[in-house]
Amino acid sequence: MGIPKVLNIWSTHQFWVGFLTALGIAPENIVFSSDTSEEQYREYGKGRGTVDCCYPVKCMSGHYGELIFGQKKKIDILLSPMIYSLPSFLRGHVLDTLTCTRVMAGPENIKAGFLKERDVFAENGIRYVSPFVSLGEPQKVPKQLYLALKDVLDLSEDETARAVEAGYRALEAFNQKMRQKSREILTWCARHDHPCILVLARPYHMDPGIGHEIEAELQAHGFPILWMQYFPIDDDLMQWLFGEEIRAGRIKSPFDISDVWPSSYSSNTNEILWGAKVAARFPWITCVLRFSSYECGMDQPTYTPTQKIVEASGTLYFKFGDLDATKPAGSIKIRVETIVHYVGKYSPDIIRRKLAALPPGCPLLEETTPESAPLAA
Amino acid sequence: MICGIDVGSTTCKYVLASSEGELLAHAYERHNTRQAEKVLEFLTRLEREHGLTPGRDRIFFTGSGAGLIAALVGARVVQEVVAVAAAVERLHPAVRFVSEIGGEDMKTIFFTGDGQSKSKQVLMQSACSGGTGTFIEKTARKLQIPLERLAEMRYEGYPLHKISSKCGIFAEADANTLLKAGVPVEEIIASLFEAVVYQNLATLTRGNTPMPEVLLLGGPNLFFKGLQEAWRHHLTKIWKERKVPLPEDRDPASLICVPKDALYYAALGCIEIARREPEETGIYQGTEKLRWWIEEGQYEEKKREGRKGLWTTPEELEAFARAYGNGTNGRAAARLALRRAAPDLSRVILGCDFGSTTAKAVCLSPEKELVFSCYALSRGNPIEDAKALFRQIREAIGEGEVLAVGITGYGKDLLKEIIGADCAIVETIAHATAGLYFFPDADCICDVGGVDVKIMILKNGTVSDFRLNSQCSSGNGAFLQGVAERFGIPLDQIADYAFRAQAMPQLTMGCGVFLQSDIVNQQRKGWQAEEILAGLCAILPLNVWIYAGGLNNLAQIGRKFILQGGTHKNLAVVKAQVDFIKSKVPDAEIVVHPYSGEAGAIGAALLAHEWWERGGRTRFRGFDVIESLTYKTTTSPDTVCKWCPVNCQRSFIDVELPGGKGRPWSKVPLPEGWERVIVNNSCPKGLVEDVNEMKVIKAELEKTKDAYPNIADLVRKEGFRRIPHAV
Amino acid sequence: METITRINHYTAYRPRPFTREERATVTILFGGLTWKHERLIQGVMHNLGYKAQPLPNITRADLDAGKELIDVGACCPTIFTTGNLVNFLKSEMAAHGRDEVVKRYVFLTAGACGPCRFGQYHESYTMALDGLGLRDFRLFLLAQNQLDQGATHGGGLEINLPLSLGLVWAILCADVLTDLEYMTRPYEVIPGETDRVLRESIEYLYDVFRNRPQAKLRGGKLKIFAWHVLTDYFTDALREVRRRWASIRVDRLRVKPKVKITGEFWLQTHEGEGNYNIKRWLEQEGAEVIPPPIAVWLDYLLHSPITSEEWKGAERDRKKIALIRALEHIYHFVYNRFRKALGGLPYELPDQEELKQLAKPFYHYELRGGEGHMLVGKALYAYRHKKAHMICELSPYSCMPNTMSIGAMANVLGRYPDLLYAPIEVKGDAEVHALSRCQMILTEAKRRAQAEFEEVLAKTGLTLEAIRRYEERHPEVQRSTYRIPHYGYAGTAANYIIHLARKMGRSVAA
């Protein structure tokens, strides 16, 4: 079973692992394609793209190709889900948690390049399966996956339902773990008054071929890096950051973003806006990195709002826009050096000012848990 | 008779044939943006020499510039790919794939099926310069390779390097970097051909396999031998990979054909189509209307469409010249802390800016007076540039003492150790520091260089925000310069030309490459070089502030704007900037930085001064050491970075330095008394030569990364783990 | 207590309410459709006592104005429509001053439909208002998939049944008239005739909508609904339009390829510089254009809940589905009445279920955003039923859903290589490229139209002279309102000849 490691697989990975494992597929038989790279695209995807579009979608043909042609052990099934909506922690506080229209339809677009002249899947003895799945509405998922997979995997409805549950559990466990880790990092920063950097991006910017590991260059300068997808959402922290605003009636809950983004349909967009609000408040986040891929239509309307939100509290905001296949190494270098200069120079002041704007009693400072001495990953 | 005329972006061609299709005459000439004039010349010639007769003979046009002209002479317009396809279908029935590369476009045609059901699919590129003739020529010009030589240069047998295939401006920068690293031009050009073919295949196949036989058309495909070789290499490789059945009796490379008269295919296709159309279509009406249009009509048309030039009244232009003209630069408004008279050079702080085109240096006195400045044109080797610069400094200060050295610019990392600089400062900060020093009340510094656009927004004397464009070429000077070059206008005369225009076309803000196609469009409407340049200058502020800078509301920034960078030496640009900023911020004060070119060096010197004041003692190696630097450059398969799949083609610059530790363990061994500087790596890993050195550095990096974790690392590591989960 | 104001950041735009009292003095601005649709909508609004005014036609200058004020990288419809509003407000401010503009106008637009950027238009509008210093200007977005939203926004605009039905009826009327326009103009004998009669007809229909009998707009919902569905009020008016239209003489022997327009909603509907006036351009290039009715989009919106509700299958949902199906029937019934009133000339609405099935192997019907699977479905529909020689798909530069379905079309073309398909990317400023691309495919379409025409001549054994003689004896066949049935040929001329051959008593198999 081959799964292209693209788009929202980057935030639902463990769902698929958990789901397939629960169906009895041996873990070693679940294969993800490798990280995106130009080489992968050149070697496996060249000439298979049917339309020019943003790189995160375009690169999918390289992933497909790698799974078809580049595996030592041939895969039997290529599973490329059309993920319509996502299980977001903001669900219930926003209008919807849909994916980008390109993200959900990407497989239909990419498969065309493999079917147009000849059926490349069939030629290589591969079954192509592309279930339409609304992961944001768990009650719909068992039936969707059952209908899409029953002929391929010989499933029963009950079995599918159980596996779906297992998938959600696995994903939840993973998210928990990441949030816990983020909390540890934040605690360390709080206790050492050390600045850290928050990344506002879509999940697939964690792919080294899409996000180009820009944040790692700042990490190398000694700044811990958090991603808003995994920011701790524990109640104590949320109350500290948002409590007064909730009590004042400005927002209904810590996860209410209607004050800044009324048309909250898109899952990743919502999370980015929420992340901006957190960054504006949390004292030890002194700098925000915003990544955005070339031609991203979902990000485009959010540029100004996120920046204005983040900068309102003096937090530094740096956008790396128009990311594409090639890593713009030279420009990244200049910008990273500049950012390091300013983060170093202004952080103490930013932390001080932001702390003053929040109520006393930061839960991270009051915790009795022993501090994790060296911040080992 | 039937005449087919192809009006392209750089040239015009005609083919004259009898009604039976027998060829009578043909020609191919450059039009230098005067498309209508060239067509008139052609038609006059055809009438005189070949008896082309209005009312009797038929005429068909094609090409990007055909639309307007055709209507004036009664011609029918045939879309160029339609025309080319018609010619190909007739002359080469076995062809399945055509690549036509033009000056500013590229197209592919795929033929499928046979006979009645034969159909074709055409793909055209219109979004960017990558993969076109201009792309090759632009870079070759930068490398100072004459066209004749370029035509003979080869592809086969050279090591290839990575060159951006997407954007001509970036490709040029890549080629420049390779050149500086000592890569032979032959290899660079081979890599350029590679980039062109890659770009064509990557963007213009859209899931189709280019099947044999193949036809390569258009100027670049015809003229550049190396490009043909690159095509042969890639296509035969694709056929092998995709197991395309080939005729056994033929060498695969022979299935790729470059016809000698390829340039005329579009015009020939016109004849072909004309013969299919009813006889009353496309009757030639003579040159009268065309003549009228050239002499009068185009101006009326333009007046209707365009806007006024860069100025409205001569008085306004004069007033502008008084404020910003030669030597004034709006300096009246600047309160300068500098003094040049009777400089005391006995104790100085040096600031150097090693940029991509020039290296600059300044000396500051301990009292922060600018006492000396000089520059050297970059000749592609940073060490040579440094020598040239320091020779000048030494001449000026003689026995004077160097208290501190600050260095900035692209060359800063490479040269820091070698000259023994005390501070290496990123350009942005250097510029901001210099700007704030001269104009403590500045709200914004806008630096438009050749490649970069930097906007620094200042609040309370510190930089609150900055914007860089370096991933997009729109709004920078290189683009303006590129257009001027194509018009044959020298860089320093752009402003003169632009101010001459009484009117200018309304260009659209946006990516430089889209602008390029917009320019072709405007040329088609008859706008002249100076008018287009004026239009470009006028659009530049929009590109700088809104498109590249993403700043919509200038009033929010403040009211004092500093313009600096090479592009602001162009007064037409300054005029456009002043008008633009004032239209958004009526009470704005706009100043052109008095030491615009040296701002980076001054900033570096100021920061070095700060360091010295805090008690720093310089590590400067001294003029003797720099003057006697011996170095050698190696770029070979042994210098390629293997740490990640990007495989940067690094270069090793080995410099003889007293106390150098050498690298006996290296694949490119280095004896003691030498230091190695690694360049052209794209990440810190690449600064490390190989495994031995890596071990140390890696431990160091890991230690930092462990101490300062990145959640994404964890996701990458654990998100795709396939351990069975408890169900 | 006021500690919360310590972090005071960007907040979303919230217009102050538009009150009932303001109705008499405030003009509602709207736009985004064709001038015909907008004029009839204005009639509906005037009928209900609102002051309403469509924005001026979109021009190239709107593109520049839009780009200047909104975030970089917006899609072209966003830029055009925002720029359009900006330029209008600017000129009004220059004439009457800022405060007067804020007092005098509100802007109303559709939006908030979900995943694509269309649902985030408000952000662009807000930025534009900020840029103009008009944050207190009022702008309202209406969810487009709800017919009856009750009174909202302070009651200034009451979204009730008379309004909703009026709008839908106006759109449908403009749609059928647009069909008529495009099938007549390429063949008109006296140039300009069609446009003249069209203008008169729209003005006439404006009055019809403006004068909707007030008595019929009061009372229970069911009563109002029933009146709209069953009355002859609108069909009589359309019959009058048909009478006027009959005066246009056409020459259907002109061989023209039929080009079906599909694409992104705004771009395909638009008639103007926003899409390079491509429909007019195609006509100049010798084509007959099949315009995209907005009615199909409304049908899609109506139909799509069925597919998502099917999952549950509970009794309650089955009822809901039944209700939607009933509404669909009524909708088609109304549309067909309008068509019939115009002599059956306007095209019928494609069956949504068929579009879904046709697209199924290529594009999943639940993938929302843009026109979803319809782009694939409509192309195949026209191809299968020989409704057009060629499909011209208008796709806005950087439109997200559109690029996906164009990609999927590659697969369709692999399977049906003879389907002529021209996806045209519209940036607003690269006219030459877009039009040449279209022309290329059009050349092939012309060839097919000609071949088809010659085939029909051969098959019927008719000569052009014979047809002309027949036309002289039977002038009614040259009337624009004379309906030519579809005999399985895409081209108008081919069907016309078959029709005349049959009239002449020749036995011709279709």
Side-chain angles (χ1 to χ4, degrees), chain A residues 156-181:
Chain A
S156 75
E157 254 178 275
D158 284 351
E159 188 181 7
T160 318
R162 279 196 302 275
V164 166
E165 272 177 40
Y168 277 110
R169 273 203 303 277
L171 183 61
E172 189 46 36
F174 173 82
N175 291 345
Q176 287 287 1
K177 189 175 170 186
M178 292 299 130
R179 292 190 201 292
Q180 184 52 38
K181 187 69 213 169

Side-chain angles (χ1 to χ4, degrees), chain B residues 79 276 508-509 552 584, chain C residues 60 67-68 436 439 447:
Chain B
Q79 206 288 325
R276 272 192 236 146
T508 305
M509 176 185 76
N552 293 301
K584 305 269 167 188
Chain C
R60 167 66 193 273
K67 273 191 189 172
E68 230 180 86
S436 358
Q439 193 187 37
R447 194 138 76 171

